[in-house]
Amino acid sequence: MADSSFDIVSKVERQEVDNALNQAAKEISQRFDFKNVGASIAWSGEKIEMRANSEERVKAILDVFQSKLIKRGISLKALDAGDPQASGKEYKIFASLQEGISQENAKKVAKIIRDEGPKGVKAQVQGEELRVTSKSRDDLQAVIALLKGKDLDFALQFVNYR
């Protein structure tokens, strides 16, 4: 029988992020506490730019955006938000999306699988993803459960399970 396998990736669905951003922008435009504070959220190239006239307001915009991401099933670990920066009379926060698993993080995940996973499970780094193979599908399920239980500082998805 052929080996079963799955891939571990770290991807963010751009359309879902866009939907969350649009929902946040709509809520910000309608909420009373954001009236007359110059509150806005929008794409700025590949980054997301949030602006308001005070540090507390711009943090509140980030909070609204994060709640919309959670509702859309996007892990906050994929969102890398900076600290508020003063720019003239307004404050800005730039946030970027992290995609792909770095070599360092891939090695960390492979080590967890090797040390704590079932015997006979192999993990190999392939670019920005990790391929996990085993003869037993039950072992692969155990690896997925193991990694979901770990508190890693980056988002993981499991795809191509076969």
Side-chain angles (χ1 to χ4, degrees), residues 34 52 54-64 66 84 93:
F34 287 121
S54 75
E55 194 171 336
E56 292 77 31
R57 287 287 132 236
V58 79
K59 284 182 178 175
I61 292 171
L62 177 62
D63 193 46
V64 168
Q66 287 175 334
I93 293 180

Side-chain angles (χ1 to χ4, degrees), residues 4-9 129 131-132 158-162:
S4 299
S5 69
F6 68 89
D7 295 335
I8 301 173
V9 296
E129 57 185 48
R131 165 87 29 103
V132 180
F158 307 100
V159 295
N160 297 339
Y161 186 83
R162 47 179 104 91

Side-chain angles (χ1 to χ4, degrees), residues 56-125:
E56 292 77 31
R57 287 287 132 236
V58 79
K59 284 182 178 175
I61 292 171
L62 177 62
D63 193 46
V64 168
F65 182 53
Q66 287 175 334
S67 71
K68 299 298 179 192
L69 286 174
I70 291 169
K71 283 183 183 169
R72 295 216 153 258
I74 297 169
S75 172
L76 292 183
K77 291 177 183 175
L79 182 72
D80 182 25
D83 292 325
Q85 302 165 344
S87 162
K89 289 184 177 178
E90 64 183 4
Y91 285 83
K92 294 180 183 179
I93 293 180
F94 287 99
S96 59
L97 298 168
Q98 295 177 321
E99 290 194 292
I101 303 173
S102 69
Q103 289 293 322
E104 180 184 311
N105 288 338
K107 287 178 184 170
K108 213 186 298 183
V109 171
K111 183 171 175 15
I112 290 170
I113 293 170
R114 210 174 33 251
D115 294 348
E116 301 175 35
K119 298 283 179 250
V121 176
K122 295 182 200 70
Q124 56 195 126
V125 179

